Amino acid sequence: MAPPPVCWSDLPEDLLELILKQVMDIADLYQCRNTCHLWRSLAKKLLALSPPQLLGTRDLYNNKNHNRIKLSDYFTGNSTFFETPKFKSHDGCTYVPNHVHSSRGWLVIHYTKSSSSPNQCIYLYNPLSGMGFWLSIFLRDNSNNPYSLPIQPENVVFPPIKLYLSSKKPTSISCIIFNLGPGIYAAWERKFWRPGDKKRIPILRSGFCINSIIHYKDEFYGIDPFPHHSYVNGEIEQFFVQLEFMGSSPGVKRIPTKINRPQYMSTNHASQFLVESLCGSLLLVCKTWIHIDSIWRFEVYKLDWGKSEWEKITSLGDQAIFLEEDSICIQASASTKYKKNCIYFMDWDLRHLVAIYDMGNQTVSQPLFPLPDFDWRYPSWFRPEI
Amino acid sequence: MKFCAVKQYFDDENNNNITSGASTTMIPLPNVESHPLAILITYCKKHLKIKANNADNKKETEKEMEQYEQELLKKVMPQELTELILAANYLNFKEALDFFCRAVASAIQNKSIEFVRKFFGLESDFELGEEEKLREEFAWSFEGVDED
């Protein structure tokens, strides 16, 4: 008598994981989360080990396809396009996408009016699930333009609004920060807002701009690249800030920290990025281009909160960092396409979209795919979250 | 020897100094049915043959192997893939295991959740409308905020 046929539920979890590992498209892997609880936990585990995708848009004003977003897998060269939805406000004007970045698995698409008006709005979009929400809370009228300049869409770059979510669920009680500017309208404006609030709260004392805003251990931190009185006392610097919204005076609190760094890595010369490591430490990655030698230099520091001091580290261990405004740190291993102890960064100076810095031998290597057929504007990394 | 589990058996035997000829020894494989085993043996033989034919040219090997794999997939029913994966896993036959896992992964590529559930015989254990709940909650939160 023939034995009963084997069915899929007989497959042990580790074999199921092997199958899902072979799923090439992150969109397919992401959809697996809706199959059942076991698949959701496997998909979550595998997505955490997938490299982030490259996110970009075409040059909006020189190209007809300005409503397309491209997500590319840097390691395979495969790309997916997503159409951005059209938006027409109550005044009947069309808004076009201007800028896109990502936060906590959501795409933040910044729309501006196609006529001469600074009105803007934001669309929060998850390209893998198709879920999206309009935030029409930035609509301003013409009277809000302090310079009273006529604005032509052809030669004005609208400053992007950047949004920082504190969790992958935008409805959670934690805060969202909007980063407006810089631009011809005003110096940088930053505001706090929580879902359910009626008004947005301006963030005071924020100086010229705050970069690399990160949500770390329930607080928002950032880097002020042009702090007044950079050096308080020898090696103590004022570039590290916390954005506080609780309390009577929401604003920027400077956290003086000690850092011993070479002159060419000073706040004025280097780009600085905050990133959370896998074990929960806060890392500072400094990156600068040395013209004389035509090379990139990197320094990585870890914050010792007790001493308020940044300690230099020379190895990332088995981690890889994907560096940009929203930097990501992930676990690398022999089976991952990305390598451990490496920093993947955007290399503008050598005109490569992405390059790799190996912390071990301190060398920069060529990108795998030059991705030449796309005019990348504001490229960044996108990582879905389950 | 591609069937690592079987190889282990031979190694163990040699260690025990059993002198009976390898060709007459019966190796018990309780977890593998005859049908998937036959397919795996054919796959293994073909793999080794192609590799031997194209000893220097790795690309040729890969290309020929791919062609053979495509042909094989046409003859194999999706339901048989479970047995093949389990068999390849038991025998510790890495190449075949990777190949059949890839085959399943491409079968579910770009397909709807319903198709995937049907293919694998899965039941959804989620509460109804998780995403709908999120959408409603979210929409409410962002309405009615005063402009600047």
Side-chain angles (χ1 to χ4, degrees):
Chain A
M1 187 174 131
V6 175
C7 77
W8 287 106
S9 47
D10 293 339
L11 217 55
E13 206 175 299
D14 55 343
L15 285 184
L16 185 57
E17 195 177 316
L18 268 183
I19 295 175
L20 289 181
K21 257 191 191 162
Q22 303 278 9
V23 172
M24 296 301 293
D25 204 327
I26 56 154
D28 286 329
L29 191 57
Y30 186 78
Q31 291 298 353
C32 289
R33 87 199 192 291
N34 284 332
T35 319
C36 65
H37 275 112
L38 170 63
W39 279 55
R40 176 170 284 200
S41 66
L42 282 175
K44 185 172 181 171
K45 181 179 170 188
L46 289 173
L47 270 178
L49 293 173
S50 307
Q53 306 265 301
L54 266 173
L55 164 69
T57 53
R58 278 190 180 274
D59 188 354
L60 297 166
Y61 299 106
N62 294 334
N63 196 295
K64 282 184 217 159
N65 290 326
H66 55 241
N67 58 337
R68 290 211 302 180
I69 295 171
K70 181 168 168 168
L71 280 182
S72 293
D73 185 331
Y74 164 74
F75 297 91
T76 62
N78 295 332
S79 297
T80 327
F81 286 93
F82 297 95
E83 298 279 333
T84 52
K86 299 200 182 355
F87 178 65
K88 257 203 170 130
S89 71
H90 55 270
D91 53 3
C93 298
T94 321
Y95 284 68
V96 292
N98 172 40
H99 179 270
V100 63
H101 81 107
S102 87
S103 179
R104 304 307 302 256
W106 292 89
L107 292 182
V108 181
I109 309 171
H110 171 225
Y111 281 72
T112 50
K113 252 190 188 177
S114 54
S115 59
S116 55
S117 157
N119 280 5
Q120 306 162 77
C121 69
I122 298 250
Y123 187 62
L124 266 189
Y125 179 50
N126 182 336
L128 301 178
S129 69
M131 207 192 298
F133 307 96
W134 288 103
L135 276 67
S136 51
I137 57 178
F138 288 100
L139 292 174
R140 300 182 202 167
D141 56 38
N142 281 330
S143 62
N144 217 349
N145 176 5
Y147 296 92
S148 302
L149 290 172
I151 301 146
Q152 309 299 327
E154 285 78 27
N155 48 26
V156 162
V157 174
F158 287 100
I161 295 177
K162 295 188 92 178
L163 192 150
Y164 302 92
L165 297 170
S166 55
S167 84
K168 63 177 186 274
K169 259 201 175 170
T171 49
S172 78
I173 215 68
S174 314
C175 208
I176 295 179
I177 290 189
F178 297 110
N179 203 10
L180 290 76
I184 63 168
Y185 308 114
W188 294 76
E189 300 176 346
R190 268 158 297 279
K191 301 203 175 180
F192 288 116
W193 184 78
R194 280 165 297 189
D197 281 356
K198 282 293 170 195
K199 281 221 174 278
R200 299 188 295 281
I201 308 166
I203 301 175
L204 306 172
R205 305 183 297 276
S206 55
F208 186 66
C209 62
I210 305 283
N211 291 339
S212 195
I213 296 179
I214 184 176
H215 189 251
Y216 173 73
K217 296 207 192 313
D218 293 332
E219 300 286 349
F220 284 101
Y221 297 94
I223 305 256
D224 181 349
F226 308 111
H228 296 301
H229 313 294
S230 295
Y231 295 90
V232 172
N233 175 15
E235 294 160 336
I236 297 180
E237 297 190 28
Q238 304 246 59
F239 64 92
F240 182 53
V241 300
Q242 180 185 338
L243 293 94
E244 295 180 306
F245 61 93
M246 300 296 267
S248 51
S249 170
V252 165
K253 179 175 108 174
R254 294 188 186 282
I255 304 177
T257 47
K258 190 172 173 195
I259 183 168
N260 186 2
R261 52 168 149 195
Q263 181 58 31
Y264 57 78
M265 278 298 183
S266 68
T267 314
N268 289 338
H269 296 111
S271 303
Q272 298 173 101
F273 304 91
L274 290 171
V275 59
E276 181 173 352
S277 76
L278 286 173
C279 60
S281 325
L282 190 60
L283 302 179
L284 173 73
V285 180
C286 300
K287 159 193 162 197
T288 193
W289 173 253
I290 309 281
H291 280 289
I292 307 169
D293 305 319
S294 282
I295 51 164
W296 284 103
R297 281 208 185 271
F298 287 83
E299 301 270 323
V300 183
Y301 303 87
K302 183 171 96 165
L303 184 60
D304 180 331
W305 287 92
K307 295 190 213 163
S308 287
E309 186 173 341
W310 294 95
E311 296 166 347
K312 180 169 165 170
I313 60 172
T314 49
S315 169
L316 296 172
D318 56 357
Q319 297 170 118
I321 290 181
F322 287 81
L323 204 69
E324 219 6 73
E325 181 64 21
D326 309 302
S327 301
I328 298 157
C329 182
I330 45 179
Q331 179 97 30
S333 69
S335 62
T336 56
K337 296 175 209 153
Y338 45 93
K339 296 183 283 185
K340 67 177 188 187
N341 206 20
C342 283
I343 299 176
Y344 291 80
F345 66 101
M346 309 282 176
D347 182 359
W348 296 115
D349 289 58
L350 291 178
R351 313 295 293 167
H352 293 134
L353 190 55
V354 179
I356 313 162
Y357 175 74
D358 187 324
M359 294 259 304
N361 52 29
Q362 293 175 18
T363 52
V364 172
S365 50
Q366 299 298 319
L368 295 166
F369 295 99
L371 299 168
D373 64 336
F374 202 82
D375 182 4
W376 291 89
R377 200 158 172 261
Y378 306 121
S380 58
W381 299 109
F382 169 74
R383 191 116 179 280
E385 287 195 27
I386 292 181
Chain B
M1 160 79 67
K2 289 285 171 182
F3 290 13
C4 298
V6 175
K7 179 171 192 273
Q8 185 106 33
Y9 196 90
F10 276 123
D11 289 341
D12 288 345
E13 277 213 354
N14 287 336
N15 288 340
N16 292 336
N17 284 327
I18 295 171
T19 51
S20 55
S23 55
T24 56
T25 313
M26 288 266 285
I27 303 160
L29 295 173
N31 287 355
V32 187
E33 292 297 320
S34 55
H35 182 59
L37 181 60
I39 296 181
L40 284 174
I41 291 174
T42 320
Y43 181 91
C44 184
K45 279 187 181 165
K46 190 76 188 178
H47 187 120
L48 289 169
K49 187 173 162 199
I50 292 176
K51 217 172 168 183
N53 282 348
N54 301 315
D56 301 322
N57 196 342
K58 198 175 177 197
K59 261 195 174 165
E60 263 310 301
T61 316
E62 279 173 17
K63 202 168 138 196
E64 270 201 52
M65 203 59 210
E66 256 182 58
Q67 273 175 337
Y68 169 68
E69 282 173 356
Q70 292 301 322
E71 287 301 313
L72 181 63
L73 276 181
K74 286 182 195 162
K75 298 179 203 153
V76 169
M77 298 287 291
Q79 292 86 338
E80 288 178 310
L81 284 172
T82 337
E83 293 181 345
L84 284 163
I85 289 178
L86 283 167
N89 184 48
Y90 179 75
L91 291 168
N92 212 344
F93 185 178
K94 191 176 183 304
E95 284 88 355
L97 184 59
D98 281 346
F99 165 57
F100 291 119
C101 286
R102 250 182 292 136
V104 176
S106 10
I108 60 171
Q109 203 161 308
N110 220 17
K111 292 286 197 303
S112 69
I113 303 166
E114 283 72 32
F115 178 90
V116 172
R117 284 204 193 116
K118 212 167 142 196
F119 186 94
F120 284 88
L122 297 168
E123 295 277 329
S124 167
D125 51 1
F126 287 125
E127 281 173 18
L128 285 169
E130 222 176 278
E131 280 210 357
E132 274 64 38
K133 260 197 250 171
L134 183 65
R135 187 185 294 276
E136 275 173 25
E137 216 183 309
F138 195 94
W140 169 86
S141 305
F142 281 96
E143 266 172 29
V145 179
D146 296 339
E147 296 171 11
D148 268 346

